[in-house]
């Protein structure tokens, strides 16, 4: 691994020059800008743990391509053990950053692409797999951060790509040259984009025959000409003054992933970086595998966040004098219960993993969809319980400026204190942490990241094997099962 | 009514000089300061509707003390019709402001105090009721805004007032003079305090014999010497630049009530403004009546907010092209269902209202507690559904600066558009409205305002008439009911 | 009222001779047959309370047609007070019988028909209203029990009446004579049918032009020639031996209403008993009003049942020694909370009642639908909590035969005892009561009676005034509202 | 395996003579009695699948004691693969019987005892382990069915064993002889007891020093002198006439496990069958391990049941013509989602299994408790959804006698038909299956089997590692963590 730790990662970012806007202005250095630096620090944790004795085993892997030690975030899963170690690594990262660390999306893109392009080549005689491996070995060796870019803007959602009034609502090829292709469009909600090295583009949905130009998989560096990023706003994103470190809730790491729009205004991609071009019949499989991997991960990172939230609330009840209340214990029990229920699905879909023809391991797709579906419910409920136990002062707490004010600081210290001996500042810090982790952006991301709830429900119904279940019921009451006339719903 | 409309209300605030701090600095004019003005405008709506033909009937009442037309927010409920009209008025105000309009807390304080001090006088021969009526007539005639001040800081919550290491954790009398009393302490989470005229202080809980100095009800003007307010932070409270009107989500009105700490550092209260002083045996009744009224109201104002949220999400699905999806309709149905379930409890506890000895009407206390308990569940769930239907771009949307930027404005307009013909700006405005109404502060207030969830559960259990219910069960299976040995749990 | 109490009611049933089958055999006397008598006793309670001083006020009303005192179950609601008294009466009846007392369905049929046929006459110049009043005065004066018969078998639910392979899947006119009509078909799930005097038939859904023969409202005596009833099975319906009185759970009253199929095999109905014949355009209104009234009632009778269940479980925890557990109290609190939330909607839709042109009062239809929707959720949840607190022995308890056995009675008494001094028999009785009230039939009826859950959701969405809500949201963020182009979803 | 298939199992039961009562009478042959035979048939399925090619791999194992092929139900888990295969076997059995097949409880008793007595011997120098292995080898070789007997009657639940007025409320030693012990007491809710060969007794809870006589583990044959069983009632348990095969819902297999009281009236147990006697300090560990294994299993067998229920409901909607409704699909999706969420926890706690000192593998205890906790919620919800989709006729359906009646059979056939071409009988069979699987006993067992909900919550809180979670939160906001002063809640 060329990049061996957090410091080297940060250094590496300073050498590239992506075009990034935020609040109408250009960001010159993402590693130092108040808006982007906290997110970059979360990603840096993925690099840091790789050299940490305690975590090395889960944070790294041995490349099946080169035999070299690589970051697990660049690894193609070679078995169930890999899938489970990844889950454990993600939970630890969630615990240590209390937020999104952004590298899953690239990892899942790599794994989905690897297995699918192998099958394209097998069926169609193309050579995407070799191209992709070459690119991947570089990613592994240099330990680059890749943003998996899937979600298109979609414009009018009642219409597909080919029927949009504006064809650019889905990324597509606008020109084909001898040495490559030119693409146009945009990808939204790009987690970690501003502090990544590479973009791996994938189609956002299964494409039909009419949408060949939209069936594109390719890789581009973040600073390729024609690329512009716009960094999105987050709840309370202006609390970044030095005297608002407490008020930010998370003085070191960001909230959520730090998402950006990536606009591609006629970006050239050389042939060796193109991994799918027009094979519409494989787009569904690609999206599906990516989504399954990504949904599996949400039950790992989010449980890390819930661990933090449970700890924060437990501590707060201790320093407020309410920890012994039976309803307090019961609600904390419920937080843990929901968190571990979620974790079960990440572990289970990994334990039930299976090898694709390429050798890359997939998670069980039913259980992975179940996992993400529960994230969209439980994260809100855990947050609701945290807010319940923390108390109403979360919503009315004065600022750090007031805490430190000569005029009113004594009042804040006095009237926001808890049990004797604990500094008011501790109580405020924890309150702000809970505020940051339960409000707005944090929960919205849980709802929609890796696909909105309805997307999972469609898959759960489809994979539900209704016909087999009907046979079970018929057998129990003695209704004849006609074997050769499967009924379709 | 001296103050007849919103403009006169705003004018009246400019004539008083409360001491208010925010982010470490003094606010000189609450009507113009970016942090407080939006909240003041919500309160102004309560004045504005009183002169509006369509709403006059629910917005005003006839004083039973003077026979004059007064704001409903200064009225002592004289019957069930009053209680129901109030509920309807609150829902309209919620619909028109999308937030807290702050005057309930004073109204509920007035109603609770009125009925309780009447009973104190009856029992103990005191003359609090006359004092209170005199004060109230002035409030009604001048149409002043009153902040009902109940919640004390409480310090170590495992200890009562008399056992706190710091006696000031509950407001108490520190000196008794011939002409009045001197009080010290603080009240937290004071909704609307910074744009009120008067403070009506009440004890925060039932007091025992040892806490006579804490059993105080009295009124003080907001700018009395010794009073200092500190205005709390809210989620995304820095989005107040003119070029962030969209990003604020609510360009006119605030989020929640604009809560403040009110510190009382040896404030003198003249005798004619003291309505309870040491009658600990009546504190429980006062708190209970205040809480019941206040809890009843939450099912009215919050349903107004949910109406806005339902409308916002419905519109968003229309302009995104998803409105016809069956799961979309089902989730909107659920939002409406939860909203109306909540409304039912506000109507029901009013329809089951009953007269206190003073003639002031109380709501049914069981049903009022049930109402608030459901607020603490349904508001989160309605918000969750709104976030689900709105889509992930709520969390990643670029700023208004970017929308208006010469460099990237065209990208924002293009890639955040929806169905043809609708300006991207509309979609952004609605998204930001939903963001503001579903994140952080908005929901935390719903959880804890008018009492935390556990407070309602205690009342629900207490009022559950378990013994009577046991008799019903015994009767059905033929177990003898011993009439004169009631079993206590 | 000719029938003045329970005994007279029972006597009256012995004078009529409906054709009823159960388990393949004819029931000769419903008042004495083990399958039907318990249900009849529940209905008898509606008669009994009318002469009870404590309940007279809610159990009777003054007929607006005759000025005479009548049973509230034959009354046309003349105002909000009537609607609310009815709700309170239903809750008391639920408390006293722990089950369905069956007379609502006739009451709601009377009220819906009364108001709708008035409007038919007004619009079309027919004379249904006079016919109906004449019939109704007899019902009131004699105090007859009427079964409101709405639900048709429906056959293939993907097809309407006119498209069914078998036209009899909906009741319809098969012959028109000078002096009346002949009808054929069936009504399912007819609550209280076997112990009623009269059947009031109504169409089961809004009918279109092609279904004129199905748009029929008429009344027939239960023993009219051509009518056959088949009494349905219920959970544990064979526990009726004298030595199974404990095991039945409810030794006096039945579980649910005692539902029957009523088949009409060419039944003649004289003209004076026909209240609608072919006016398809009014069928929707009729169904809608009936359903709204009926849905409103479910929040009253079921809360009566929940009161019994809460009492039963509370008592059981006392005699098992678990009543003081904090989680026990919390679950009982939740049972009460859900029960009272439900009650709120019954009260609220009544308090928001409104007069139809005939003078008959309707409940608020939105809130009535909300009420029933919650029944379909809360009754299951309350049952689940009851089962949780009661303990697993509900499912494994030996029989009353064993309790009374010379061989093993001593073991049952010893090993199913609870706290000292309470006979084991008491514990068993309460356990069996809970078993009877939480299993199978009891909950299924709550789910589907007065319309299945989806039926309410359709109405809630339709009445949700989405367009108005959208205007509220637009107003708050400054999106222009085009007044004259309402958008339809 | 001596017993190789279902037929041999049934034969083996006819050779033993346990004393069993049901409804006050003695059962002479459990394999033929209408009350017990259906349950015996479910257990027989565990024997039958062992010789079935498709299931052999999951249904059998290789004994680590003898190297011989044995039933998985007599196996001590030797690794994670064993744990996962067991889960898959249980789900298949649930699918094939739609009910409890009863052998888990013995399996879990074997595994818990094996690992705990090993540790007792290690610590105290006793020789329980050798005794136990000898007994176990016989169980394995003969393939006997063992009922794990844990739950004592408990009498007054606010008191422990030593404080009960009646000492027999917990099984205990009443006499110690040279060659063995004499025990007295009873075990309740004994699943499969009446059709088992052996009883493995274990204490029901952690015992303290004062309860040495209650700290007993031993094995006795079901027909040992002094043992009396009383078979409990189940919902609708009298539907066993030949003409009620449809009405029974499950013509072949029983509902739930067929639970019995086992009373021990001075039963002698020879020393070689005593595996713990007085080692109170190990009782907690034993109960805990047993409970964890047993809780893990509930997420497997119950998902099998939910598969059946989902199939039954899906089929019913097809033959009623409602299968295409979007709300129907959505509810079936939810049934599948909850089922698979549950399955995840069974798989996950197995995948996270760990070896005890004896080599026997334990499941992850946190995740196993989470699993069972969800059973107590999801089974009710899945049942509620099934009842919703099935329709109200579940509660009002006439009997099979009526279907076959010459008088009314034609009416039942006609009016309970669905889409053309499907016999009414099929619709009735499926309806009765759903009725049997969603009502009363079936759900009560899910709630309390393997421990009531609160039992799991206590474990979840205990294992929640709150202190570690607090450290995570502190680290994120910069509050110092004092390493050596762990705070206990």
């Amino acid at each position: 691994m060329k990049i061996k730790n957090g410091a080297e990662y940060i250094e590496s970012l300073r050498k590239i020059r992506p075009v990034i806007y935020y609040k109408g202005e250009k960001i010159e250095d993402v590693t130092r800008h108040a808006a982007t630096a906290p997110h970059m620090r979360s990603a840096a944790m993925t690099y840091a743990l790789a050299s940490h004795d305690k975590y090395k085993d889960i944070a790294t892997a041995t490349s099946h391509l080169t035999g070299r030690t690589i970051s697990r975030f660049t690894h193609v899963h070679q078995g169930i053990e890999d899938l489970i170690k990844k889950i454990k690594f993600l939970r630890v990262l969630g615990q240590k950053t209390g937020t999104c660390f952004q590298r899953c999306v690239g990892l899942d893109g790599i794994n989905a692409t690897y297995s699918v392009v192998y099958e394209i080549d097998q069926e169609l005689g193309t050579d995407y797999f070799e191209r992709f491996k070459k690119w991947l070995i570089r990613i592994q060796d240099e330990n680059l951060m890749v943003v998996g870019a899937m979600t298109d803007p979609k414009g009018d959602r009642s219409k597909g790509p080919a029927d949009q009034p504006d064809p650019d609502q889905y990324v597509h090829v606008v020109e084909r040259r001898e040495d490559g292709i030119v693409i146009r469009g945009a990808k939204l909600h790009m987690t970690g984009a501003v502090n990544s090295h590479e973009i791996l583009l994938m189609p956002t949905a299964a494409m039909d025959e009419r949408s060949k130009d939209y069936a594109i998989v390719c890789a581009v560096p973040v600073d390729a000409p024609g690329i512009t990023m716009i960094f999105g706003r987050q709840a309370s994103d202006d609390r970044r003054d030095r005297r608002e470190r407490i008020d930010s809730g998370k003085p070191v790491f960001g909230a959520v992933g730090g998402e950006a729009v990536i606009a591609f205004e006629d970006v050239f991609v050389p042939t060796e970086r193109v991994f799918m071009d027009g094979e519409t019949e494989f787009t569904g499989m690609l999206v599906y595998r990516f989504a399954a991997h990504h949904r599996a991960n949400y039950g790992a990172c989010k449980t890390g966040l819930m661990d933090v939230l449970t700890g924060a609330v437990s501590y707060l009840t201790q320093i407020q004098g309410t920890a012994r209340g039976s309803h307090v214990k019961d609600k904390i029990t419920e937080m843990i219960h929901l968190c571990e229920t979620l974790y079960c699905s990440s572990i289970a879909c990994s334990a039930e993993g299976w090898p694709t023809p390429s050798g890359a391991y997939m998670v069980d797709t039913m259980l992975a969809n179940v996992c993400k579906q529960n994230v969209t419910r439980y994260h809100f409920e855990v947050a609701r319980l945290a807010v319940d136990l923390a108390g109403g002062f979360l919503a009315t707490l004065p600022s750090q400026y007031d805490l430190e004010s000569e005029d009113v600081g004594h009042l804040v210290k006095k009237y926001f204190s808890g049990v004797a001996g604990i500094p008011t500042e501790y109580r405020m810090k924890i309150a702000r942490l809970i505020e940051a982790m339960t409000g707005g952006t944090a929960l919205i991301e849980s709802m929609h990241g890796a696909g909105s709830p309805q997307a999972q429900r469609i898959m759960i119904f489809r994979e539900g094997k209704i016909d087999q279940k009907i046979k079970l019921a018929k057998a129990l009451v003695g209704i004849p099962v006609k074997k050769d006339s499967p009924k379709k719903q």
Side-chain angles (χ1 to χ4, degrees), chain A residues 141 178 288 312:
Chain A
D141 284 349
E178 195 113 316
Y288 190 52

Side-chain angles (χ1 to χ4, degrees), chain A residues 262-324:
Chain A
I262 313 180
F264 300 86
E265 294 179 287
D266 296 347
V267 174
F268 174 71
V269 188
T271 303
E272 68 268 21
R273 283 173 158 274
V274 176
F275 312 129
M276 180 194 285
D277 183 4
E279 289 81 4
T280 50
E281 66 273 34
F282 286 90
T283 48
M285 183 193 284
L286 181 74
V287 172
Y288 190 52
R289 291 195 183 163
F290 172 81
H293 273 309
H294 208 40
R295 287 168 193 175
N297 294 345
Y298 267 66
C301 61
K302 298 305 180 202
T303 48
L305 270 63
M306 291 179 192
D307 290 335
V308 172
L309 210 39
T310 305
V313 163
S314 297
Y315 181 60
L316 197 54
T317 59
Q318 287 177 3
I319 65 176
Q320 291 178 166
T322 57
R324 284 169 195 282

Side-chain angles (χ1 to χ4, degrees), chain A residues 421-459:
Chain A
I422 302 290
T424 296
E425 191 186 312
Y426 287 9
R427 193 168 166 237
M428 288 177 70
K429 279 179 165 179
I430 290 287
R432 289 296 182 203
L433 176 66
I434 296 172
E435 184 195 22
M437 290 185 71
T438 58
T441 319
L443 296 184
I444 299 169
E445 195 275 339
S446 265
M447 178 65 82
H448 292 286
S452 303
Q454 189 61 11
Q456 291 115 46
R457 294 185 83 73
I458 290 167
M459 295 316 308

